[in-house]
Amino acid sequence: MTDEERDIEGLKRFADSHRKRAHAPYWHAGNEFQGPMEVGAVIDWAKEMNKRGWQIDICTIKKNCEPYPDCIAEMNGEKIGVEVTELVDEDAIKGHPENPHYEGPEQFMSEFQSSMPPKWPFEKFERCLRKIVCRKDKRTRDSSLAKQFLLIVTDEPWLDEATLADHLSTVKLQRPRHFDGVYVMMSYVPNPAGKGHGHHPVFEVSWAE
């Protein structure tokens, strides 16, 4: 098999993996592509944080050779770790396991609009966020890391930028033991009218003092 054929085969496998989840698919990746997805998510997050004055060296972001955290990088010349996980409605995934092939407007009306994606009232969001942070904070921190962060990515349709901002302005969780910060990042949002580059909205989780 030539390199070109190998690349095409890889793209086909990626497309098949992506198609197998119809609900909130932006951050979905099968096992084969999980590592690249995590690295890509950390790169997107780091670019947004650097706009806020951080100094994360994008070129140093890579998959961790150890099982935890998912990625490592350098910030201000020091080694940092970033664990990546997803906030997603598992019941919605089970209810819509695959994207149907588009077969025309009649099918769109019957299948694509047959059910609305699940909403995220504040109580549901807070409960899910608390569960994720508690679960990830059970792992101990590598002493070689100057800082460690938890990056929670989401593509939930009802968790738009305004809703996330509102929810996270109210959420107050217990401060984790092993993370210096926890961030929630949305999927890509293009700029209106295609002017300039879009962005990934990023929000920091606040702690109860």
Side-chain angles (χ1 to χ4, degrees), residues 34-98:
Q34 188 68 23
M37 184 282 291
E38 291 164 350
V39 171
V42 174
I43 290 173
D44 291 333
W45 170 76
K47 288 179 178 178
E48 297 298 333
M49 300 309 294
N50 285 351
K51 294 176 186 177
R52 305 179 187 184
W54 287 35
Q55 297 293 324
I56 303 173
D57 187 342
I58 303 295
C59 296
T60 65
I61 299 172
K62 62 182 179 181
K63 180 68 178 170
N64 191 5
C65 60
E66 300 296 329
Y68 181 85
D70 291 312
C71 299
I72 56 174
E74 289 185 11
M75 182 172 71
N76 299 321
E78 296 183 307
K79 182 180 176 183
I80 66 169
V82 184
E83 176 71 2
V84 182
T85 193
E86 185 182 18
L87 188 156
V88 66
D89 191 305
E90 297 290 344
D91 290 334
I93 293 175
K94 295 174 185 176
H96 301 275
E98 267 191 51

Side-chain angles (χ1 to χ4, degrees), residues 102-135:
Y102 180 67
E103 296 177 0
E106 291 183 0
Q107 183 224 17
F108 177 82
M109 293 299 294
S110 63
E111 292 188 24
F112 285 74
Q113 296 182 341
S114 61
S115 61
M116 293 294 290
K119 292 188 177 182
W120 284 84
F122 175 77
E123 293 76 13
K124 175 182 176 181
F125 175 79
E126 182 184 37
R127 184 172 62 252
C128 186
L129 184 67
R130 188 185 306 276
K131 183 178 179 181
I132 289 173
V133 175
C134 289
R135 174 169 52 86

Side-chain angles (χ1 to χ4, degrees), residues 96-177:
H96 301 275
E98 267 191 51
N99 280 306
H101 292 284
Y102 180 67
E103 296 177 0
E106 291 183 0
Q107 183 224 17
F108 177 82
M109 293 299 294
S110 63
E111 292 188 24
F112 285 74
Q113 296 182 341
S114 61
S115 61
M116 293 294 290
K119 292 188 177 182
W120 284 84
F122 175 77
E123 293 76 13
K124 175 182 176 181
F125 175 79
E126 182 184 37
R127 184 172 62 252
C128 186
L129 184 67
R130 188 185 306 276
K131 183 178 179 181
I132 289 173
V133 175
C134 289
R135 174 169 52 86
K136 289 295 182 179
D137 199 37
K138 290 179 180 179
R139 301 285 297 265
T140 57
R141 177 166 162 174
D142 186 338
S143 60
S144 70
L145 299 175
K147 291 185 180 295
Q148 180 168 271
F149 303 99
L150 175 59
L151 175 60
I152 302 171
V153 297
T154 186
D155 187 39
E156 283 290 338
W158 282 97
L159 285 177
D160 55 28
E161 194 166 355
T163 302
L164 267 177
D166 184 58
H167 284 354
L168 285 167
S169 69
T170 307
V171 165
K172 302 291 182 183
L173 301 185
Q174 181 178 353
R175 186 181 296 275
R177 296 176 58 194

Side-chain angles (χ1 to χ4, degrees), residues 6 24 200:
R6 197 173 292 108
H200 289 270

